[in-house]
Amino acid sequence: MRPALLLVLLPFAAHAQYQGPESVEYDPAGDRYFVSNTGSATIKQLAQDGTVTDFVAGLPAAPYGLEIMGDVLYACMGGGVRGFSLATGAQVAQVALNAGFANGITTDGSHLYVTDFHNSQRRIFKVDPVAGTFTVLAAGLPGQPNGIVYRAATNELLVGFWGAGAAVRSYNATTGALTGTVVTNVGSIDGITLDCAGRVLIASWSPARITRFEWDVPAPVFEDLGVAGLSNPADIDHDAVNDRLCIPNSGNHTVTLHALGCAPTGVPGAGAADDGLRVMPNPAHDRITVLPGFSRAQPYLLLNTRGSVIGGGTLSPGAALDIGPLAPGTYTMHFTRDGRRARFVKE
């Protein structure tokens, strides 16, 4: 396993950088990291060279969970969610959920899912931020729900719970029905995400640890990744392009970028092959072709770097796919008939 890249701030500079960092969200289009700072009501942006600047400052409440959907960064704030343009930082959306404590957030590409951590509420909201509407997807949960991540393969929400003997529970993203429970060997799960192989990664406070395990197996094995420098690790994210786990340490005001040793989804070069398929050109601006050509029409799903389904259709033999409307970033075409995949970069 490669060593972690730990961004440690000197004591005199810590308050100029991070103050109670709660969530980190990787932006593949901008190749940067967003960090919510509860202590300064600010969302910071961390560049690949280590430079930290304000993305949005002077917020009316402390930001908690962060999630990118389309060209908007959404933040849990107080009892609701606010959205900020990735290009300008201007607020472009606001949905009041009347939550006791809007904490964790994830997306399936068209909706946001938000956990209400307040001990008297214990809910999951399903939010349409464009229409400004929401429903309560699940209520009366058996504990305080914290981190949440969407699992596209099964249309499930995996939710990490607070407290001793913490569990990860799955809920159907359409019906809200409980579909599975795994009791872990740690306490107080704050953050949760998936790695490139679909394994579950959780950040716990007791002990301060990053744990990895397989979902949908009879007896999961809990692997301590041995990440150093953790202190109350909070809402984590997987940077699939650079193969890093992004960890905000709310206890010591730092951010850890830990190399996972997992196969990255970044495209290594033009015409890179995946499952015997090639995308040309790659990277591309407007139209792509998948080679070798198909002999019949092929249904496909379009996935973002988090594995969320953001589109799909049917690709006819010899046809080119228009990717002009897509935001810059890395995408995967999953051809559902034969299970093959092809990755490409939209510039």
Side-chain angles (χ1 to χ4, degrees):
M1 180 179 295
R2 287 176 287 173
L5 170 61
L6 179 61
L7 303 181
V8 181
L9 304 176
L10 297 176
F12 71 85
H15 293 289
Q17 300 293 318
Y18 305 118
Q19 294 173 274
E22 174 64 24
S23 179
V24 179
E25 176 76 359
Y26 175 67
D27 171 24
D31 196 25
R32 57 183 168 172
Y33 306 91
F34 293 111
V35 183
S36 62
N37 282 258
T38 60
S40 62
T42 301
I43 299 175
K44 300 283 188 178
Q45 55 185 352
L46 167 64
Q48 291 295 340
D49 65 1
T51 302
V52 179
T53 56
D54 287 348
F55 178 66
V56 181
L59 295 172
Y64 280 78
L66 300 177
E67 183 73 13
I68 292 174
M69 188 176 84
D71 58 358
V72 178
L73 174 69
Y74 292 94
C76 292
M77 293 175 56
V81 174
R82 298 182 187 232
F84 304 91
S85 166
L86 289 179
T88 67
Q91 182 174 313
V92 294
Q94 181 175 356
V95 183
L97 303 176
N98 299 317
F101 182 0
N103 194 345
I105 184 170
T106 190
T107 184
D108 62 6
S110 59
H111 291 86
L112 301 170
Y113 300 87
V114 177
T115 60
D116 190 343
F117 183 73
H118 197 281
N119 196 38
S120 66
Q121 303 297 330
R122 303 182 179 187
R123 298 176 287 182
I124 301 173
F125 296 96
K126 185 172 185 175
V127 184
D128 183 338
V130 177
T133 59
F134 70 92
T135 58
V136 176
L137 181 70
L141 303 184
Q144 292 175 268
N146 203 326
I148 183 170
V149 65
Y150 178 69
R151 189 171 186 252
T154 53
N155 190 40
E156 288 178 305
L157 302 164
L158 303 188
V159 182
F161 281 76
W162 199 249
V168 174
R169 295 183 170 91
S170 58
Y171 296 86
N172 183 279
T174 302
T175 67
L178 176 67
T179 54
T181 299
V182 171
V183 178
T184 71
N185 62 351
V186 298
S188 296
I189 298 171
D190 195 321
I192 184 169
T193 191
L194 303 174
D195 71 7
C196 71
R199 293 168 295 191
V200 180
L201 297 162
I202 54 175
S204 62
W205 283 29
S206 181
R209 177 184 297 172
I210 301 298
T211 302
R212 179 165 58 191
F213 64 95
E214 297 275 359
W215 192 253
D216 285 340
V217 297
V221 175
F222 302 109
E223 176 191 3
D224 177 4
L225 294 191
V227 181
L230 299 180
S231 179
N232 297 350
D235 190 4
I236 56 179
D237 188 31
H238 177 217
D239 166 7
V241 174
N242 299 292
D243 185 29
R244 293 170 179 158
L245 183 63
C246 315
I247 310 166
N249 294 293
S250 58
N252 62 13
H253 313 292
T254 64
V255 168
T256 302
L257 301 179
H258 178 77
L260 280 176
C262 189
T265 61
V267 176
D274 190 0
D275 285 349
L277 300 177
R278 291 182 297 125
V279 175
M280 299 293 292
N282 194 3
H285 293 282
D286 47 16
R287 300 175 74 82
I288 59 172
T289 301
V290 179
L291 299 175
F294 299 117
S295 60
R296 58 175 176 164
Q298 292 287 334
Y300 70 91
L301 297 175
L302 186 64
L303 313 177
N304 62 16
T305 55
R306 296 181 65 88
S308 299
V309 178
I310 62 171
T314 301
L315 190 64
S316 300
L321 180 67
D322 181 12
I323 63 169
L326 295 177
T330 302
Y331 298 90
T332 299
M333 295 181 70
H334 173 51
F335 294 95
T336 56
R337 178 175 288 140
D338 59 9
R340 290 192 296 172
R341 297 187 176 216
R343 287 188 287 266
F344 67 91
V345 170
K346 163 68 187 302
E347 290 188 327

